[in-house]
Amino acid sequence: MPLFDTHNTWAFVFGLMGNVISFAVFLSPVPTFYRVWKKKTTEGFQSLPYVVALFSATLWLYYATQKKDVFLLVTINSFGCFIETIYISIFLVFAPKKARMLTVKLLLLMNFGGFCLILLLCQFLAKGTTRAKIIGGICVGFSVCVFAAPLSIIRTVIKTRSVEYMPFSLSLTLTISAVVWLLYGLALKDIYVAFPNVIGFALGALQMILYVVYKYCKTPPHLGEKEVEAAKLPEVTLDMLKLGTVSSPEPIAAVRQANKCTCGNDRTGETEDGQK
C-alpha cells in the first residue's frame, strides 16, 4: 500500500497544504524558546498551552492509526508530538521550581494518565469502527475546548478596545489552517476531522473581524483613560488650594464664600429662618 493515497486527489492536496501550514504553526514558538534558552529563564511563560498541544497531537495520532489513507494526518501530528516535547523539555530545564512541578503534574495527569486511560478503554472495550468513532468523538470534544481557548483573548480585545494581545498574522494563519483541514475532512468524508475546524474557522474569522474593527475603524477614547483623568482632577484642585494658602488668604475666602452660595436654596432658607 503506498504511503500517500493519490486516489482522492483533493484529500491529498488539502492534506499536503494542511501539513505545510500546521508545520509553520508548530514552529511559531521557536523565537520564544530561543529567548528562554539564551536568557536561561522562562520569564513567566506558562507551559499549559504546550502540554495541551502535545495531548491533542497524541490523540489525533492515535485516531489516525485507526483509519485508512490518512498518512498526512499521521505526519503532521507526529511532528507535533516531537516539537511540543522539545518545547516542554526546554521549559522544564529553565522554569522555576514551582512552575516545573506544575508542568510535571500536568504531564502525569493529562498526557500520561489521561492518554493511557483512553488507550486501555478503547483497546479492550471497543473494536473496529466503534473504536474509531469513540476516539474520534474524544478528539472532537478536546479540539472544541482547544478552539474555545481564544474566547478569553476576544473578551480582552472587546474590553480594552486594543488588539495588542491578538496578533493578526497568527489569527490569519490559524484561520487558514482550520479552513484547509476542514476541506481535508470533507474530502475524506470524515466528520471527526471536519467538525472541529468549523468552530476553528468561525472563531478565527471573528478574531480577524475584531482586529479590523479595533485596529482601523475609529473608536471612542478609552473609558479607562477618561476615568483616570477625572480621578486626577480633584488632586490637582487640592494642590492649587494648598498653594493659595501659602501665597495669600484672600482667594481662600472667596472660595469659601462660593462654596456657601452653592448650597441648596431650601436648606439655605431654612438656616436663615432658624437664625432669625
Side-chain angles (χ1 to χ4, degrees):
M1 185 178 68
L3 290 178
F4 297 98
D5 179 25
T6 56
H7 297 291
N8 193 335
T9 306
W10 287 113
F12 175 75
V13 171
F14 290 131
L16 193 60
M17 292 173 59
N19 270 253
V20 173
I21 297 173
S22 297
F23 185 84
V25 173
F26 277 128
L27 290 179
S28 59
V30 167
T32 298
F33 283 93
Y34 175 75
R35 186 165 69 250
V36 170
W37 179 275
K38 189 175 181 180
K39 293 186 176 181
K40 310 299 181 184
T41 177
T42 56
E43 298 180 331
F45 290 113
Q46 302 295 322
S47 62
L48 181 61
Y50 311 103
V51 174
V52 170
L54 176 60
F55 186 53
S56 178
T58 307
L59 285 176
W60 282 110
L61 188 60
Y62 181 40
Y63 173 75
T65 59
Q66 309 299 316
K67 304 286 289 185
K68 295 180 180 179
D69 303 328
V70 288
F71 183 76
L72 292 172
L73 200 62
V74 173
T75 55
I76 190 59
N77 286 289
S78 298
F79 177 75
C81 291
F82 171 74
I83 195 67
E84 296 297 339
T85 301
I86 293 178
Y87 293 154
I88 295 172
S89 300
I90 296 175
F91 185 90
L92 290 174
V93 171
F94 298 108
K97 184 178 179 180
K98 185 177 180 180
R100 188 184 303 119
M101 294 303 298
L102 177 61
T103 303
V104 172
K105 291 178 181 178
L106 288 173
L107 288 171
L108 292 176
L109 180 64
M110 185 183 302
N111 298 78
F112 181 76
F115 180 73
C116 288
L117 180 62
I118 294 172
L119 181 65
L120 292 174
L121 291 177
C122 291
Q123 287 295 126
F124 291 103
L125 299 181
K127 295 181 180 180
T129 57
T130 304
R131 180 189 300 165
K133 290 179 180 179
I134 293 174
I135 301 170
I138 295 173
C139 290
V140 168
F142 190 77
S143 296
V144 169
C145 295
V146 172
F147 279 128
L151 290 175
S152 60
I153 301 177
I154 293 175
R155 178 177 176 273
T156 302
V157 171
I158 295 175
K159 185 177 180 180
T160 62
R161 297 179 178 270
S162 172
V163 295
E164 179 183 359
Y165 303 103
M166 189 177 66
F168 181 78
S169 58
L170 181 59
S171 299
L172 178 62
T173 304
L174 293 176
T175 304
I176 296 175
S177 177
V179 171
V180 172
W181 285 113
L182 170 61
L183 296 174
Y184 176 75
L186 294 176
L188 289 176
K189 298 180 180 179
D190 191 327
I191 188 64
Y192 301 109
V193 176
F195 180 73
N197 290 288
V198 174
I199 300 175
F201 167 71
L203 292 176
L206 178 60
Q207 290 183 52
M208 290 191 295
I209 291 173
L210 289 176
Y211 187 92
V212 172
V213 169
Y214 290 111
K215 180 69 175 181
Y216 299 106
C217 297
K218 293 182 179 180
T219 56
H222 292 249
L223 295 178
E225 295 178 358
K226 288 184 176 181
E227 293 175 356
V228 171
E229 293 298 328
K232 289 181 178 180
L233 289 177
E235 297 178 0
V236 175
T237 305
L238 288 176
D239 291 338
M240 292 177 65
L241 290 178
K242 291 178 181 178
L243 291 175
T245 56
V246 176
S247 58
S248 64
E250 295 180 359
I252 301 302
V255 171
R256 291 178 178 175
Q257 185 66 25
N259 290 336
K260 183 177 179 182
C261 295
T262 57
C263 297
N265 294 330
D266 297 337
R267 184 182 294 271
T268 304
E270 292 177 358
T271 304
E272 292 177 353
D273 293 339
Q275 290 177 354
K276 291 179 181 180

